[in-house]
Amino acid sequence: MGESNAMDDYELIRQYVEHGSPDAFGELVRRHIGLVYSAALRQMRDPHDAQDVTQGVFIALARDAHKLRRQQVLAGWLSTATRYLALNARKSASRRRDHERRAAELANTMNNQTDTPAWEQIAPELDEAMAQLKPRARDAVLLRYFQGKSVRETAEALGITEDAAKRRLSRALEQLRGLFRRRGISVSLVALATLLTTHSVHAVPPALVAATTAASIKFASAATLQKGTVTLMSLLKTKAAVGLLALTVTGTTGVVVHHALARAPIAADAPAKPAVLLADASAKPLQAQEDTGKAAPWRKRFDEVYHLDEGQDLRRVPPPFIPERTAYFNAIDAGGFMLDPTADAMTVFTYEGEMAEFNLFTRGAPTVSSVMGSMVGIPSYKLEMKLKDGLRPLPGDWVIRKSLPEDKKIEALGKILRDELKWKIHFEKRSAEHDVIVASGAFTPPKDNPDHMVDVFIDAKPNGGASAGGLDGFLRALGELCNTETIDEATAPPTNGVFWRVHTGSNLSREQADKMLANVTAQTGLQFKHTRKVTSHWVAVQD
């Protein structure tokens, strides 16, 4: 850890991005959690909700660290992320019945922390005022007064001289003072500087640092796209309605849906390629925030395009996409932390009550196979289709009727392939005897790994992407790698879920699969047996 202390923020980010260093990320959390937690506490007015927002911010950092550049001031990025997430969280938090009670509790908490009347006036307005500063001015104030750096250290972090830093800080304080004055708060420059230095950062609950570090590394990495495997991040809301950043892991429902790529051969120990995924096909669709309702100015046009006619179960919305799609993304993901309307990706909307609402988002150029896997939910080992057919491009968004059965999904997709792609094909469900892998025994989380992650590997463990889900989701992921259905006859763990890292590619040979499964057995106690059983598959049939 001593080496981490000597690194600047960018070096720590680089260590985390390139080497997956938990020590480097932990040091980033330690340095900046006070800033994030304090801003969240001022905006959420509830210590528990502030902790939820804080963890959401660092999950976002873990996920998006590869996008940051050396010239960016990390404190500024974190401050902006905190504001957006707290804003989204407050929309739902305001509807809770106990909001007023919690606000009163916070008032008592803050009164115990400071007896300065001026600070009690400034605190509720501070983060909004900071957001109105230009980024360079805001970064300077954050470094000097929120993080307690000297003028010299602030200048070094900004890459300017000390005199320039002093001038920038003076102008920024004067701007803040003017913003407060317009809100009826009068404070001198000296008093403002003193208040910011003394009260802007609150004490962080001791357990929050460790919990945030672990959650960020584990759960943000669960939002990855591995070769041959899609892992999904639930959008179910936390109690603070962090929403877009809350990963829900359950013990009974697997949050892993597979087959984003066709069954093309991949090197056995090829490292996973990360990408962001944002929904769970088994979870309830994300309920749109208040500003996505029919009153939104863009909503009428959006509903005209993303709709289903009577008797229609599925619609493909091909590119180019309408501007109102971007407006929808911005409404449910202020700041663009999770959804990128310009990305080469597939978005699925669930249709209910004459409105389409967001359900899932997957990065990567959509193909017939990826649509079958992500939207329909059919794993590769249950789909018999020629490789070249599975690789056919199928760009666009999808609107699907809520709670549509699998056979109806397949029927509707086949019709679109025939009508829009002029592809004479249909799908038949056939039962036959197939090779399967039967999993038995009781799952026990690995004791040798402090994070209880199961490492899925053959001979080596290069950097791999992490996933989370129930035992059924974990076994399904193993089946995807082996391209063989896995039958679950095992006992699920008495925990909230299973966490695993994949260090191998898909389409393993029998020998490779046996090595991988033996490694899983050594870590978890699960037993695997190859046999043959009658199972049903979907078969692509040319008309």
Side-chain angles (χ1 to χ4, degrees):
M1 184 64 69
E3 183 180 350
S4 296
N5 285 327
M7 295 181 183
D8 63 23
D9 287 344
Y10 182 76
E11 286 300 316
L12 290 171
I13 290 172
R14 189 174 64 82
Q15 284 291 317
Y16 172 67
V17 170
E18 295 181 3
H19 305 292
S21 170
D23 287 344
F25 193 84
E27 176 63 16
L28 288 170
V29 173
R30 188 192 65 78
R31 287 183 186 182
H32 298 285
I33 195 168
L35 168 72
V36 172
Y37 174 72
S38 300
L41 183 60
R42 286 191 298 272
Q43 296 171 70
M44 295 305 301
R45 297 177 174 269
D46 177 89
H48 301 293
D49 290 350
Q51 291 183 40
D52 289 336
V53 171
T54 299
Q55 290 201 6
V57 170
F58 283 100
I59 288 173
L61 175 62
R63 188 194 60 247
D64 292 339
H66 66 284
K67 300 178 183 178
L68 301 182
R69 299 294 178 262
R70 177 175 288 278
Q71 62 268 28
Q72 288 181 273
V73 175
L74 182 57
W77 189 95
L78 292 170
S79 176
T80 300
T82 304
R83 180 169 173 267
Y84 278 125
L85 291 178
L87 178 64
N88 282 343
R90 288 202 309 273
K91 290 179 181 178
S92 294
S94 65
R95 291 191 287 266
R96 292 179 308 192
R97 294 180 178 178
D98 61 346
H99 178 74
E100 292 183 359
R101 176 182 59 79
R102 289 188 170 191
E105 290 175 355
L106 176 69
N108 293 333
T109 301
M110 295 186 69
N111 286 337
N112 291 334
Q113 292 172 341
T114 175
D115 57 359
T116 308
W119 177 250
E120 294 175 5
Q121 290 182 294
I122 288 173
E125 308 290 341
L126 177 58
D127 296 283
E128 180 62 31
M130 288 287 293
Q132 295 185 44
L133 296 179
K134 292 183 178 180
R136 294 196 306 172
R138 183 171 60 247
D139 289 345
V141 173
L142 288 169
L143 291 168
R144 176 71 179 93
Y145 299 109
F146 286 65
Q147 295 198 309
K149 295 185 181 294
S150 66
V151 174
R152 179 181 60 79
E153 291 171 332
T154 300
E156 290 177 353
L158 296 174
I160 58 179
T161 65
E162 286 191 48
D163 287 341
K166 290 178 182 177
R167 290 193 297 270
R168 187 175 297 182
L169 287 165
S170 178
R171 288 194 297 268
L173 287 179
E174 187 60 54
Q175 287 176 304
L176 282 175
R177 184 169 173 252
L179 292 169
F180 289 135
R181 188 186 302 116
R182 287 196 287 274
R183 289 169 168 80
I185 304 170
S186 180
V187 61
S188 69
L189 285 179
V190 174
L192 178 58
T194 302
L195 288 170
L196 292 178
T197 302
T198 307
H199 299 301
S200 61
V201 177
H202 294 272
V204 177
L208 184 58
V209 178
T212 298
T213 303
S216 300
I217 294 174
K218 181 179 293 183
F219 294 158
S221 61
T224 59
L225 171 63
Q226 298 174 20
K227 294 180 179 179
T229 302
V230 176
T231 63
L232 298 181
M233 180 171 167
S234 171
L235 292 178
L236 296 176
K237 298 175 183 177
T238 65
K239 61 181 179 180
V242 175
L244 287 174
L245 287 172
L247 174 66
T248 299
V249 181
T250 68
T252 58
T253 302
V255 297
V256 182
V257 178
H258 307 276
H259 200 54
L261 302 178
R263 290 175 278 177
I266 299 176
D269 282 315
K273 183 178 181 180
V276 177
L277 282 177
L278 305 181
D280 180 353
S282 64
K284 296 179 180 179
L286 174 69
Q287 295 301 312
Q289 301 294 340
E290 294 174 345
D291 50 1
T292 67
K294 287 187 176 295
W298 46 265
R299 185 80 211 203
K300 180 179 179 181
R301 175 60 176 158
F302 180 86
D303 287 343
E304 290 173 351
V305 175
Y306 288 79
H307 80 284
L308 294 178
D309 297 327
E310 186 176 353
Q312 185 180 24
D313 291 325
L314 183 67
R315 176 187 293 272
R316 182 174 75 103
V317 182
F321 300 115
I322 58 174
E324 288 78 7
R325 174 181 184 264
T326 299
Y328 183 98
F329 280 14
N330 291 339
I332 67 172
D333 181 26
F337 289 103
M338 301 290 281
L339 303 177
D340 181 0
T342 66
D344 197 3
M346 176 181 68
T347 308
V348 178
F349 298 86
T350 301
Y351 195 78
E352 181 183 22
E354 304 300 319
M355 293 180 71
E357 299 296 5
F358 173 82
N359 181 258
L360 71 87
F361 174 90
T362 65
R363 291 188 185 273
T367 64
V368 172
S369 290
S370 67
V371 171
M372 292 289 285
S374 296
M375 184 184 70
V376 182
I378 298 178
S380 61
Y381 51 73
K382 295 184 77 68
L383 175 64
E384 297 180 16
M385 175 184 286
K386 293 180 180 179
L387 177 61
K388 65 180 181 66
D389 291 337
L391 289 173
R392 285 196 182 198
L394 194 58
D397 291 343
W398 295 85
V399 183
I400 187 168
R401 195 168 296 280
K402 184 180 179 182
S403 303
L404 194 66
E406 181 183 87
D407 59 339
K408 293 294 185 181
K409 292 179 183 178
I410 289 285
E411 180 182 345
L413 178 60
K415 185 176 187 304
I416 288 176
L417 295 177
R418 291 190 298 272
D419 294 348
E420 298 183 14
L421 274 63
K422 308 304 178 184
W423 185 10
K424 297 180 179 180
I425 191 173
H426 70 277
F427 297 92
E428 296 180 0
K429 194 171 189 178
R430 299 176 180 175
S431 294
E433 192 175 75
H434 297 99
D435 290 329
V436 298
I437 299 172
V438 177
S440 61
F443 177 94
T444 303
K447 298 179 180 180
D448 295 337
N449 285 348
D451 54 6
H452 301 299
M453 283 271 189
V454 181
D455 284 306
V456 180
F457 68 100
I458 299 175
D459 296 314
K461 291 189 285 187
N463 291 335
S467 302
L471 180 61
D472 55 348
F474 174 58
L475 295 177
R476 182 169 174 169
L478 297 180
E480 282 283 351
L481 297 173
C482 302
N483 197 28
T484 304
E485 184 171 0
T486 304
I487 307 297
D488 183 4
E489 295 182 1
T491 303
T495 63
N496 287 332
V498 179
F499 304 97
W500 66 94
R501 279 185 294 257
V502 176
H503 306 277
T504 179
S506 58
N507 274 338
L508 303 181
S509 67
R510 173 67 179 268
E511 181 182 1
Q512 291 171 328
D514 286 346
K515 285 185 178 180
M516 179 193 73
L517 295 174
N519 289 329
V520 172
T521 296
Q523 297 173 76
T524 67
L526 289 176
Q527 302 294 319
F528 299 94
K529 177 183 177 182
H530 290 274
T531 187
R532 290 182 65 83
K533 287 180 177 290
V534 175
T535 59
S536 59
H537 285 197
W538 285 99
V539 181
V541 180
Q542 299 288 339
D543 294 333

